[in-house]
Amino acid sequence: MSNRNAWFRRFWPLWLVIIIVVFAWWPGRSIFINTLTEREAQRIADITPAQGAAHTPERLSIERIMTDLHWLADAEREGRAPGTEGSKAAREYIINRFQELGLTPAGTEGYEQAFSHERVERAINVLGSVVGQDPTLRTIVITAHYDHLGVRNGTIYHGSDDNASGTAVLLEMARYFSENQPQHTLLFAALDSEERGLLGAHALFTSGHLDPKTIAFNVNMDMLSRNTDELLYAVGTYHNPWLVRLVQRVQEENGARIVMAHDRPWFKAGRTDDWTLSSDHGPFHEQGIPFMYFGVADHPDYHAPTDTSDKADEEFFRITAEAAFSFTKLIDQVLAEKR
Ligand SMILES: [Zn+2]
């Protein structure tokens, strides 16, 4: 008896591996995983009820944001696929704005950083910075991808929520910070080819254009304009728990329900998607740079030709834009003090 016990104890890592492998292959495991999903769903349901637009301060111009949204998602832009005329027009629009605002060109050629990849012949990121008050601080990178799926079988995929919305907010944030100097230098990066595998964000690092050691933080915005249950996801606190307090402070002055989720493993969250590597913040995370990603819940128009700008919920979009903005202001302050 005691002998057999010793034998079991001696090989316990082996038994553990066998148990895990059997569990992973066992179809019935979903009973357990679903149980956890319900717990996660309950956690989300328990989060502060939305307090509406009146609860949210107004520092960005939703008129300008909506104008940019309509322009970027217009049928004439033909879904902004990399290398197309629509993409070029969108890029020129962004560059013109950066110029008007007096942003410092931060690409390899003016504001542009061109790159290629086996999945895209030629794509171009647009990079401009607002120089911060304190030159000893590292850079905070604000990202939003401006590309979308383009035209498929003769049908335009407008990509309004995904991601004309984040791009429009990026432009308005650039406007604010060009008039109200931040502590850190803020690099505004309108990225290309996100839809083909976060290629624009990867290219920032693989090209050697950005040195990860010089980057303090990444704020990424992708899909902000659609209202599903007044809900905005804040992704990234699981990896950097010190961000929880900051998101809570943003929530105090924001009317949306800001839910910290979609960044935890299945044994915490069940079968909800993990979005840690699902948009341009992913390559930053892989470089060891802390990030915060803001995005709304999935909706039926996601990656569909029906993702058009008339579907944006203007009142809700104003709130989500303010949330991303509040967070950006806060991270600029907090990291300057923390140093
Ligand atoms: Zn997107």
Side-chain angles (χ1 to χ4, degrees), residues 3 22 55 60 98 149 181 196 201 206 272 290-291 338-339:
N3 262 351
V22 168
H55 189 70
L60 302 181
F98 280 10
L149 304 173
Q181 196 185 19
R196 301 196 184 175
T206 54
T272 56
F291 74 91
K338 198 174 152 183
R339 183 187 50 134

Side-chain angles (χ1 to χ4, degrees), residues 67-79:
T67 303
D68 291 342
L69 178 83
H70 289 309
W71 196 91
L72 290 165
D74 192 274
E76 271 189 55
R77 253 43 78 202
E78 298 187 317

Side-chain angles (χ1 to χ4, degrees), residues 145 162-163 194-195 222-223 279 303:
H145 73 89
D162 186 10
N163 183 34
E194 188 268 357
E195 301 289 7
D222 192 354
M223 298 169 64
S279 178
H303 281 203

